Amino acid sequence: MQDKVTYEAIQLLYQGGSHAVSVRDQIVYLGKYPTNRAAHAVRLIEVTIRTGKSTRIHRYITNVLDPNQLSVYQVVQLYRRRWDIEQVFNLLKTHLKLSILPSAHQNAMLVQIFATFTISQVILAMRAEIARQAGADVREVSLEYLVRYTPRALAEKRDIIAFFVQ
């Protein structure tokens, strides 16, 4: 949720934490005035992270109002997964050039889409294996780097996984 969005709090579900990380979980109506108020209430979760002199506030909105059905932790993890999906779209469209279909023939387009999805699955599997062998989080392994340097590693007949782990 952007900073300029107004809202009116209806119910505070939880507020607490530590000096470093605090959480406020509440039910709100988006829009503070009757002319711009949303028809249905939503749940607004604010996570404030303080490090040194900086403070970051992350805001999450969900229509699941019951924290027993969807915890604060689960909301944050779901939003993280959402970003992972966006990165896969970026892999397909930007790095593997799926945004450009050179043919208008349906079979040619389907072959290109199938091939691109197959290549993306191989790259994502390599990424997971590289992360596992390096003892790193999968998000620490760059998709752009994999796409850019895999052809070079193959041309040099290197062990691709070992090349990237190194």
Side-chain angles (χ1 to χ4, degrees):
M1 185 175 96
Q2 296 179 350
D3 290 332
K4 295 181 180 182
V5 175
T6 62
Y7 62 89
E8 182 179 349
I10 300 170
Q11 179 184 4
L12 181 64
L13 301 172
Y14 174 81
Q15 184 168 339
S18 67
H19 175 71
V21 179
S22 61
V23 175
R24 183 178 357 181
D25 187 0
Q26 57 191 334
I27 308 294
V28 302
Y29 276 113
L30 295 178
K32 199 168 189 174
Y33 306 103
T35 56
N36 69 349
R37 180 170 295 150
H40 301 283
V42 294
R43 190 164 151 218
L44 169 62
I45 299 167
E46 296 175 306
V47 179
T48 304
I49 302 170
R50 295 173 196 85
T51 54
K53 294 182 180 181
S54 69
T55 300
R56 290 182 320 192
I57 300 174
H58 299 274
R59 293 180 179 93
Y60 306 93
I61 293 179
T62 178
N63 62 349
V64 179
L65 303 182
D66 183 357
N68 293 318
Q69 286 184 338
L70 190 64
S71 71
V72 168
Y73 176 79
Q74 289 170 320
V75 170
V76 171
Q77 292 306 310
L78 285 170
Y79 268 82
R80 258 196 196 150
R81 297 299 301 166
R82 183 176 150 251
W83 179 247
D84 290 344
I85 292 166
E86 294 297 328
Q87 286 197 311
V88 171
F89 288 142
N90 186 42
L91 168 66
L92 292 168
K93 291 174 69 179
T94 304
H95 303 297
L96 299 178
K97 310 290 188 225
L98 187 58
S99 62
I100 302 166
L101 295 173
S103 175
H105 297 286
Q106 183 178 5
N107 285 342
M109 288 191 297
L110 290 174
V111 167
Q112 183 176 359
I113 291 168
F114 180 77
T116 305
F117 273 66
T118 302
I119 292 167
S120 72
Q121 287 300 302
V122 170
I123 289 170
L124 293 171
M126 286 173 40
R127 183 185 192 204
E129 182 59 21
I130 291 164
R132 187 189 70 74
Q133 286 190 23
D137 186 277
V138 74
R139 292 179 196 95
E140 295 178 76
V141 180
S142 168
L143 287 172
E144 181 179 354
Y145 191 82
L146 278 172
V147 172
R148 185 182 301 159
Y149 292 104
T150 293
R152 180 187 297 175
L154 287 171
E156 295 173 2
K157 299 184 181 184
R158 290 184 163 190
D159 176 343
I160 296 172
I161 303 298
F163 172 78
F164 286 109
V165 168
Q166 183 186 30

